């Protein structure tokens, strides 16, 4: 097979990612660790360089032209994000360092609301960032952590969800898409159920945001958090989207800088959204880079992108049948291009080693989801994750590499 | 098992010029390493590594330190054998004076012992060096 099965021009997309030209040990780089972080198109690299070469300055200080320009670019970036996720208002977009920080900002606020007898609902497929945070918040407050189980295929049990959701549920915190299994969760219907019980809803969008068209108003949750670097943008920047009515009186979490309105030696008052939740000098370049990534991503046909990723996954699943002892971990009915697997008798780290030597980058280990691995009865998995610039040949190379690895380890 | 000496390993790997043969050599070395019984694969014998587990126990006899190691990943096991070739049944002075980074560089395997690799190898070397200090 030489061409993709969709009319999506993967060659034109690839050409925009300079790093994909790299060779490792004489082999062309086959980058299949996109669930960990995506590579950056030239447009993003250019936006960062342009910011630092043309208008680097602190924002919101306004005393000179550069600061004014930097502030405009920074605030335009916020508008880009707001449009991208269909936020009802620009000030609902809070810059963070990434998904984990977003979750922690919400946890700090929830800590003041949770009390003994309350419940927080999470799922068995949680990334540590959206599990440990709530586990600790519950420990500190005496609230109870309830965990919605998954079935053998990696589907969330809706039956169990319905049983565990109660009038005591104060928060539902769950992933849009599982980083370890690729499962796409029915967040719209589950959010509606939790809202009907009066719970707040937080969606961890780290893996969801780069694989579809996120519309926070259509989802109906209170918070949706994600990172720039999994969306073809820079590391160290992310977004906490929150419903304005909820964020407006959300407890502040860091003090200092632009979040302050007035200060005396005795007291201080806080500014309005979004600044009240953004203390200190923000990651200005990161925000501008993230907006450039979104602009770049939005210029693509999202349906073609989805079809392309599904074609890669289907091709991989077909080739997987030829590898003796290979078991796919995570076969949810609705899943994105994440292929988590184990091969009988072979440790995932050994697979990772031998693929790495062939220039093929995948992730091996517990994927920051140790309880999930225990649930699935595996020490860890090898995970190949596909995105828009991957080709069917990349998938072929993965399986050729796997065959070689299995032969050497036999 | 009798591990080859570090000189023999350097010679052997130098002789093998394609990567597959070199890794096959490491894999075979790993398979030959006797490993540890499950009764000794305890939390307190575990050396930190995030992608694979490494266990190590040590003894001292007549001024020499001996080590038994195990890993659930076979290539890590092979790399551990390379490390043991350098350190097992040696005196403290010999362990302290051995240039492990230079050795791995000669083997052209320095990437595997780099602190940025979470395979537990670097942690095990640090533990052995600590025991010998």
């Amino acid at each position: 097979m030489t061409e993709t099965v969709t009319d999506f021009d993967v060659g034109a997309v690839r050409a925009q990612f300079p790093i994909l030209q790299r060779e490792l040990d004489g082999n062309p780089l086959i980058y299949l660790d996109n669930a960990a972080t995506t590579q950056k198109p030239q447009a993003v690299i250019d936006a960062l360089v342009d910011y630092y070469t043309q208008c680097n300055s602190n924002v919101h200080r306004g005393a000179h032209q550069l600061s004014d320009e930097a502030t405009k670019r920074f605030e335009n970036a916020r508008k880009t994000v707001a449009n991208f996720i269909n936020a009802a208002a620009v000030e609902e977009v809070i810059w963070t360092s990434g998904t984990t920080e977003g979750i922690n900002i919400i946890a700090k606020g929830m800590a003041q609301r949770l009390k003994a007898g309350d419940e927080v609902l999470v799922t068995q497929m949680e990334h540590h960032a959206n599990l440990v945070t709530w586990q600790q918040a519950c420990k500190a407050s005496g609230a109870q952590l309830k965990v919605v189980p998954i079935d053998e295929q990696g589907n969330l049990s809706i039956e169990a969800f319905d049983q565990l959701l109660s009038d005591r549920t104060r928060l539902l915190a769950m992933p849009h898409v599982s980083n370890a299994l690729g499962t796409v969760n029915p967040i719209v219907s589950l959010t509606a159920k939790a809202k009907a019980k009066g719970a707040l809803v937080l969606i961890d969008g780290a893996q969801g945001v780069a694989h579809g068209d996120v519309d926070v108003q259509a989802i109906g949750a209170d918070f949706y958090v994600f990172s720039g670097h999994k969306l073809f943008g820079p590391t160290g920047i992310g977004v906490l989207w929150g419903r304005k009515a909820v964020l407006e009186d959300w407890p502040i979490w860091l003090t200092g800088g632009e979040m302050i309105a007035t200060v005396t030696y005795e007291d201080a008052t806080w500014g309005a959204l979004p600044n009240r939740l953004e203390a200190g000098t923000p990651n200005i370049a990161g925000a501008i880079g993230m907006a450039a990534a979104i602009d770049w991503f939005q210029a693509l046909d999202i349906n073609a992108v989805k079809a392309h990723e599904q074609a890669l996954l289907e091709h991989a699943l077909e080739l997987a049948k030829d590898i003796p002892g290979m078991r796919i971990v995570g076969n949810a009915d609705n899943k994105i291009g994440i292929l988590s697997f184990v091969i009988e008798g072979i440790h995932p780290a050994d697979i990772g080693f031998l693929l790495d030597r062939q220039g093929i980058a995948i992730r091996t280990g517990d994927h920051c989801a140790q309880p999930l691995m225990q649930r699935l009865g595996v020490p860890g998995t090898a995970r190949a994750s596909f995105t828009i610039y991957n080709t069917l040949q990349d998938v072929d190379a993965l399986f050729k590499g796997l065959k070689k690895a299995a032969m050497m380890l036999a | 098992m009798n591990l080859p000496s570090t000189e023999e390993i350097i010679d052997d790997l130098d002789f093998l010029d394609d990567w597959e043969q070199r890794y096959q050599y490491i894999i075979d070395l790993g398979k030959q390493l006797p490993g540890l019984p499950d009764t000794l694969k305890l939390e307190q014998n575990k050396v930190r590594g995030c992608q694979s587990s490494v266990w190590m126990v040590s003894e001292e006899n007549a001024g020499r330190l001996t080590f038994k190691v195990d890993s659930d990943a076979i290539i890590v096991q092979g790399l551990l054998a390379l490390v043991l070739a350098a350190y097992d049944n040696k005196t403290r002075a010999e362990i302290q004076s051995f240039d492990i980074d230079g050795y791995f560089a000669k083997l052209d395997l320095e990437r595997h012992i780099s602190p940025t690799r979470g395979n537990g190898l670097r942690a095990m070397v640090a533990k052995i060096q600590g025991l010998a200090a």
Side-chain angles (χ1 to χ4, degrees):
Chain A
M1 220 177 297
T2 52
E3 276 309 308
T4 57
V5 294
T6 68
D7 54 0
F8 179 71
D9 187 356
V10 67
V13 171
R14 282 185 74 80
Q16 297 178 56
F17 289 81
I19 205 169
L20 298 178
Q21 306 302 315
R22 263 203 74 173
E23 292 196 344
L24 298 169
D25 300 318
N27 301 300
L29 166 64
I30 310 283
Y31 187 78
L32 299 174
D33 195 17
N34 297 290
T37 197
T38 53
Q39 299 302 343
K40 320 306 172 197
Q42 190 64 49
V44 170
I45 298 164
D46 288 347
L48 293 173
V49 170
D50 190 63
Y51 168 72
Y52 280 123
T53 51
Q54 294 302 317
C55 87
N56 173 57
S57 193
N58 211 329
V59 290
H60 300 143
R61 307 297 191 269
H64 53 79
Q65 286 183 46
L66 279 189
S67 172
D68 198 35
E69 279 180 33
T71 304
K72 277 185 184 137
R73 288 196 195 190
F74 179 67
E75 290 304 329
N76 279 334
R78 197 189 304 273
K79 282 181 199 154
T80 300
V81 172
N83 287 333
F84 175 56
I85 59 174
N86 194 29
V90 174
E91 59 270 31
E92 292 184 336
V93 173
I94 310 296
W95 297 115
T96 64
S97 67
T99 306
T100 300
E101 188 173 278
I103 294 169
N104 276 274
I105 294 171
I106 302 161
K108 289 263 181 196
M110 281 306 292
Q112 300 183 14
R113 301 179 176 210
L114 288 174
K115 54 186 190 311
D118 288 347
E119 292 172 5
V120 173
L121 199 55
V122 298
T123 73
Q124 250 178 359
M125 65 176 88
E126 237 51 67
H127 184 283
H128 291 163
N130 203 36
L131 171 64
V132 178
T133 320
W134 301 114
Q135 174 194 83
Q136 297 301 313
C138 286
K139 275 190 176 185
S141 62
Q144 239 196 320
L145 189 71
K146 298 276 182 177
V147 185
V148 183
I150 56 169
D151 66 18
E152 291 307 310
Q153 304 305 313
N155 294 300
L156 203 61
S157 164
I158 305 303
E159 205 170 77
F161 178 92
D162 290 343
Q163 282 168 8
L164 289 168
L165 181 69
S166 80
D167 296 332
R168 295 180 296 281
T169 307
R170 294 287 164 267
L171 176 78
L172 164 65
M174 63 175 295
H176 187 170
V177 173
S178 156
N179 71 308
L181 307 173
T183 308
V184 181
N185 289 308
I187 52 172
V188 175
S189 60
L190 300 185
T191 295
K193 288 178 184 177
K195 296 297 294 176
K197 293 280 185 191
L200 288 170
V201 178
L202 157 65
I203 305 295
D204 167 2
Q207 297 295 335
V209 77
H211 295 276
D213 24 16
V214 168
D215 179 336
V216 291
Q217 294 188 67
I219 295 166
D222 298 285
F223 308 102
Y224 190 97
V225 291
F226 55 103
S227 302
H229 73 97
K230 294 189 203 281
L231 184 60
F232 314 102
T235 51
I237 186 75
V239 166
L240 156 60
W241 168 83
R243 187 184 300 283
K244 194 176 171 187
V246 178
L247 278 191
E248 248 164 2
D249 65 343
W250 202 253
I252 53 154
W253 72 292
L254 284 178
T255 55
E258 201 59 30
M259 56 80 64
I260 291 164
T262 61
V263 188
T264 64
Y265 282 108
E266 291 76 30
D267 210 352
T269 60
W270 317 132
L273 283 178
N275 306 51
R276 67 189 302 275
L277 292 170
E278 293 177 353
T281 294
N283 182 354
I284 306 163
I288 291 166
M290 184 168 177
I294 290 171
D295 283 338
W296 178 86
F297 183 64
Q298 281 191 299
L300 303 170
D301 173 354
I302 186 66
N303 289 322
V305 166
K306 283 182 183 175
H308 176 68
E309 286 178 16
Q310 283 302 315
L312 295 171
L313 180 63
E314 276 161 32
H315 187 47
L317 291 172
E318 197 53 41
L319 293 179
K321 293 175 185 164
D322 287 345
I323 308 282
M326 183 159 170
R327 177 160 75 88
I328 309 297
V329 179
N331 294 292
D333 306 328
N334 187 3
K335 69 176 266 181
I336 58 154
I338 284 180
L339 188 78
S340 225
F341 61 91
V342 289
I343 298 179
E344 205 181 308
I346 301 180
H347 194 281
D350 286 325
I351 295 172
F353 261 121
L354 294 179
L355 289 180
D356 177 47
R357 191 57 193 71
Q358 301 173 72
I360 303 165
I362 63 157
R363 168 96 186 257
T364 62
D366 58 39
H367 313 295
C368 299
Q370 289 173 15
L372 174 61
M373 295 296 123
Q374 285 154 21
R375 157 70 183 84
L376 296 165
V378 290
T381 72
R383 181 190 70 186
S385 47
F386 311 119
T387 191
I388 42 183
Y389 44 68
N390 290 125
T391 61
L392 292 171
Q393 291 91 323
D394 287 349
V395 180
D396 290 339
L398 167 67
F399 280 88
K400 198 173 158 217
L402 276 177
K403 277 183 184 163
K404 180 167 279 182
M407 206 172 66
M408 290 177 70
L409 293 162
Chain B
M1 100 187 248
N2 282 325
L3 280 170
S5 69
T6 54
E7 290 80 12
E8 284 167 334
I9 290 170
I10 292 168
D11 278 353
D12 287 348
L13 280 173
D14 194 45
F15 175 74
L16 303 169
D17 44 19
D18 91 33
W19 75 267
E20 287 173 56
Q21 290 176 339
R22 292 164 53 81
Y23 273 73
Q24 202 67 63
Y25 177 89
I26 294 166
I27 289 166
D28 292 342
L29 216 49
K31 283 180 179 166
Q32 289 169 43
L33 207 65
L36 284 171
D38 284 348
T39 50
L40 284 172
K41 288 185 185 170
L42 304 171
E43 197 56 36
Q44 68 256 34
N45 295 330
K46 216 165 181 176
V47 181
R48 210 90 213 115
C50 85
Q51 302 200 22
S52 51
S53 299
V54 172
W55 297 267
M56 181 179 86
V57 293
S58 61
E59 267 178 42
E60 185 168 0
N61 288 309
R64 290 178 179 273
L65 293 172
T66 57
F67 304 95
K68 289 194 174 68
V69 297
D70 206 342
S71 171
D72 49 359
I74 194 68
I75 295 175
V76 174
Q77 179 101 322
L79 294 168
L80 293 175
L82 301 181
V83 174
L84 281 204
Y87 287 141
D88 191 39
N89 203 26
K90 296 280 160 56
T91 65
R92 285 190 156 73
E94 284 169 330
I95 290 172
Q96 282 172 40
S97 65
F98 188 81
D99 175 12
I100 193 82
D101 289 321
Y103 171 55
F104 266 75
K106 265 187 206 153
L107 298 177
D108 199 18
L109 292 169
E110 59 268 48
R111 68 169 80 168
H112 294 305
I113 203 161
S114 108
T116 55
R117 287 276 169 152
N119 57 24
L121 211 60
R122 168 60 62 181
M124 195 190 77
V125 168
K127 201 166 171 184
I128 290 175
Q129 287 170 342
L131 287 168

Short mmCIF file of all heavy atoms in Angstrom, two decimals, chain B residues 105-132:
data_model
loop_
_atom_site.label_atom_id
_atom_site.label_comp_id
_atom_site.label_asym_id
_atom_site.label_seq_id
_atom_site.Cartn_x
_atom_site.Cartn_y
_atom_site.Cartn_z
N ALA B 105 30.98 3.57 26.93
CA ALA B 105 31.32 4.31 25.71
C ALA B 105 32.07 3.40 24.75
O ALA B 105 31.80 3.39 23.54
CB ALA B 105 32.13 5.55 26.05
N LYS B 106 33.00 2.60 25.28
CA LYS B 106 33.76 1.66 24.44
C LYS B 106 32.82 0.63 23.81
O LYS B 106 33.06 0.18 22.70
CB LYS B 106 34.80 0.93 25.29
CG LYS B 106 36.17 1.59 25.24
CD LYS B 106 37.20 0.72 25.96
CE LYS B 106 38.33 1.58 26.46
NZ LYS B 106 38.99 1.01 27.64
N LEU B 107 31.80 0.26 24.55
CA LEU B 107 30.83 -0.71 24.03
C LEU B 107 29.86 -0.06 23.05
O LEU B 107 29.02 -0.73 22.46
CB LEU B 107 30.04 -1.35 25.18
CG LEU B 107 30.83 -2.14 26.22
CD1 LEU B 107 29.90 -2.63 27.33
CD2 LEU B 107 31.54 -3.32 25.58
N ASP B 108 29.97 1.26 22.94
CA ASP B 108 29.05 2.03 22.11
C ASP B 108 27.61 1.86 22.60
O ASP B 108 26.66 1.77 21.82
CB ASP B 108 29.18 1.60 20.64
CG ASP B 108 28.61 2.64 19.69
OD1 ASP B 108 28.44 3.80 20.13
OD2 ASP B 108 28.30 2.30 18.53
N LEU B 109 27.45 1.78 23.90
CA LEU B 109 26.12 1.59 24.51
C LEU B 109 25.83 2.70 25.51
O LEU B 109 24.96 2.55 26.37
CB LEU B 109 26.06 0.24 25.24
CG LEU B 109 26.11 -1.01 24.36
CD1 LEU B 109 26.31 -2.25 25.22
CD2 LEU B 109 24.85 -1.13 23.52
N GLU B 110 26.56 3.80 25.41
CA GLU B 110 26.45 4.83 26.44
C GLU B 110 25.04 5.39 26.56
O GLU B 110 24.61 5.83 27.61
CB GLU B 110 27.47 5.97 26.27
CG GLU B 110 27.41 6.73 24.96
CD GLU B 110 28.32 6.14 23.90
OE1 GLU B 110 28.28 4.90 23.71
OE2 GLU B 110 29.04 6.91 23.24
N ARG B 111 24.27 5.28 25.46
CA ARG B 111 22.90 5.82 25.52
C ARG B 111 22.06 5.06 26.57
O ARG B 111 21.13 5.61 27.13
CB ARG B 111 22.22 5.78 24.16
CG ARG B 111 21.92 4.39 23.67
CD ARG B 111 21.02 4.40 22.46
NE ARG B 111 21.75 4.68 21.22
CZ ARG B 111 21.21 4.52 20.02
NH1 ARG B 111 19.97 4.13 19.89
NH2 ARG B 111 21.90 4.79 18.95
N HIS B 112 22.43 3.78 26.78
CA HIS B 112 21.62 2.99 27.71
C HIS B 112 21.92 3.27 29.16
O HIS B 112 21.16 2.91 30.04
CB HIS B 112 21.79 1.51 27.42
CG HIS B 112 21.25 1.12 26.10
ND1 HIS B 112 19.95 1.39 25.74
CD2 HIS B 112 21.83 0.53 25.03
CE1 HIS B 112 19.76 0.97 24.50
NE2 HIS B 112 20.88 0.46 24.05
N ILE B 113 23.05 3.88 29.42
CA ILE B 113 23.41 4.12 30.81
C ILE B 113 23.23 5.60 31.16
O ILE B 113 23.48 6.03 32.27
CB ILE B 113 24.85 3.62 31.08
CG1 ILE B 113 25.03 3.33 32.57
CG2 ILE B 113 25.90 4.58 30.56
CD1 ILE B 113 26.19 2.45 32.88
N SER B 114 22.73 6.36 30.20
CA SER B 114 22.54 7.79 30.44
C SER B 114 21.45 8.00 31.49
O SER B 114 20.50 7.23 31.57
CB SER B 114 22.19 8.50 29.13
OG SER B 114 20.84 8.89 29.15
N PRO B 115 21.62 9.03 32.32
CA PRO B 115 20.64 9.28 33.39
C PRO B 115 19.23 9.54 32.87
O PRO B 115 18.27 9.41 33.60
CB PRO B 115 21.18 10.53 34.09
CG PRO B 115 22.56 10.73 33.59
CD PRO B 115 22.69 10.02 32.29
N THR B 116 19.11 9.89 31.60
CA THR B 116 17.79 10.21 31.06
C THR B 116 17.01 8.96 30.67
O THR B 116 15.84 9.03 30.34
CB THR B 116 17.91 11.11 29.83
OG1 THR B 116 18.78 10.45 28.90
CG2 THR B 116 18.47 12.46 30.17
N ARG B 117 17.67 7.79 30.68
CA ARG B 117 16.96 6.56 30.36
C ARG B 117 16.41 5.96 31.64
O ARG B 117 17.16 5.71 32.58
CB ARG B 117 17.91 5.54 29.70
CG ARG B 117 18.26 5.89 28.30
CD ARG B 117 17.19 5.40 27.35
NE ARG B 117 17.40 5.99 26.03
CZ ARG B 117 17.03 5.41 24.91
NH1 ARG B 117 16.45 4.23 24.93
NH2 ARG B 117 17.24 6.01 23.76
N GLY B 118 15.14 5.70 31.67
CA GLY B 118 14.53 5.22 32.91
C GLY B 118 14.60 3.72 33.06
O GLY B 118 13.63 3.10 33.44
N ASN B 119 15.75 3.10 32.72
CA ASN B 119 15.78 1.64 32.75
C ASN B 119 16.37 1.06 34.02
O ASN B 119 16.54 -0.14 34.14
CB ASN B 119 16.52 1.11 31.52
CG ASN B 119 17.93 1.66 31.42
OD1 ASN B 119 18.51 2.07 32.42
ND2 ASN B 119 18.48 1.68 30.22
N GLY B 120 16.76 1.90 34.97
CA GLY B 120 17.24 1.39 36.24
C GLY B 120 18.72 1.06 36.25
O GLY B 120 19.29 0.74 37.29
N LEU B 121 19.35 1.14 35.08
CA LEU B 121 20.76 0.77 34.98
C LEU B 121 21.65 1.75 35.74
O LEU B 121 22.52 1.37 36.51
CB LEU B 121 21.15 0.74 33.50
CG LEU B 121 22.23 -0.25 33.11
CD1 LEU B 121 21.80 -1.66 33.42
CD2 LEU B 121 22.51 -0.11 31.62
N ARG B 122 21.39 3.01 35.50
CA ARG B 122 22.16 4.07 36.16
C ARG B 122 21.96 3.99 37.68
O ARG B 122 22.91 4.11 38.45
CB ARG B 122 21.74 5.43 35.60
CG ARG B 122 22.20 6.66 36.31
CD ARG B 122 23.69 6.84 36.40
NE ARG B 122 24.37 6.98 35.12
CZ ARG B 122 25.70 7.12 34.99
NH1 ARG B 122 26.48 7.17 36.06
NH2 ARG B 122 26.25 7.22 33.82
N ALA B 123 20.71 3.73 38.08
CA ALA B 123 20.41 3.62 39.52
C ALA B 123 21.15 2.44 40.13
O ALA B 123 21.64 2.50 41.26
CB ALA B 123 18.91 3.48 39.73
N MET B 124 21.27 1.34 39.37
CA MET B 124 21.96 0.18 39.90
C MET B 124 23.46 0.45 40.03
O MET B 124 24.09 0.08 41.03
CB MET B 124 21.74 -1.05 39.03
CG MET B 124 22.13 -2.31 39.76
SD MET B 124 22.19 -3.79 38.74
CE MET B 124 23.73 -3.54 37.89
N VAL B 125 24.02 1.12 39.04
CA VAL B 125 25.45 1.47 39.10
C VAL B 125 25.69 2.36 40.33
O VAL B 125 26.64 2.14 41.08
CB VAL B 125 25.89 2.18 37.79
CG1 VAL B 125 27.26 2.82 37.96
CG2 VAL B 125 25.89 1.20 36.64
N ALA B 126 24.79 3.33 40.54
CA ALA B 126 24.95 4.23 41.69
C ALA B 126 24.87 3.44 43.00
O ALA B 126 25.62 3.72 43.94
CB ALA B 126 23.87 5.31 41.65
N LYS B 127 23.99 2.44 43.04
CA LYS B 127 23.83 1.65 44.26
C LYS B 127 25.10 0.82 44.53
O LYS B 127 25.57 0.74 45.66
CB LYS B 127 22.61 0.72 44.10
CG LYS B 127 22.05 0.25 45.42
CD LYS B 127 20.68 -0.37 45.24
CE LYS B 127 20.25 -1.05 46.54
NZ LYS B 127 18.97 -1.75 46.40
N ILE B 128 25.64 0.24 43.47
CA ILE B 128 26.86 -0.55 43.62
C ILE B 128 28.02 0.35 44.07
O ILE B 128 28.77 0.02 44.99
CB ILE B 128 27.22 -1.27 42.30
CG1 ILE B 128 26.19 -2.38 42.02
CG2 ILE B 128 28.63 -1.83 42.35
CD1 ILE B 128 26.36 -3.08 40.69
N GLN B 129 28.12 1.51 43.43
CA GLN B 129 29.19 2.44 43.82
C GLN B 129 29.02 2.89 45.26
O GLN B 129 30.00 3.06 45.98
CB GLN B 129 29.23 3.64 42.86
CG GLN B 129 29.78 3.25 41.49
CD GLN B 129 29.61 4.35 40.45
OE1 GLN B 129 28.79 5.26 40.63
NE2 GLN B 129 30.34 4.25 39.36
N GLY B 130 27.75 3.05 45.68
CA GLY B 130 27.48 3.44 47.06
C GLY B 130 27.91 2.35 48.03
O GLY B 130 28.50 2.64 49.08
N LEU B 131 27.63 1.09 47.67
CA LEU B 131 28.02 -0.03 48.54
C LEU B 131 29.53 -0.16 48.65
O LEU B 131 30.05 -0.62 49.67
CB LEU B 131 27.44 -1.35 47.98
CG LEU B 131 25.93 -1.55 48.13
CD1 LEU B 131 25.48 -2.73 47.29
CD2 LEU B 131 25.56 -1.78 49.60
N ALA B 132 30.21 0.27 47.59
CA ALA B 132 31.67 0.12 47.57
C ALA B 132 32.38 1.32 48.19
O ALA B 132 33.59 1.29 48.39
CB ALA B 132 32.14 -0.06 46.13
#
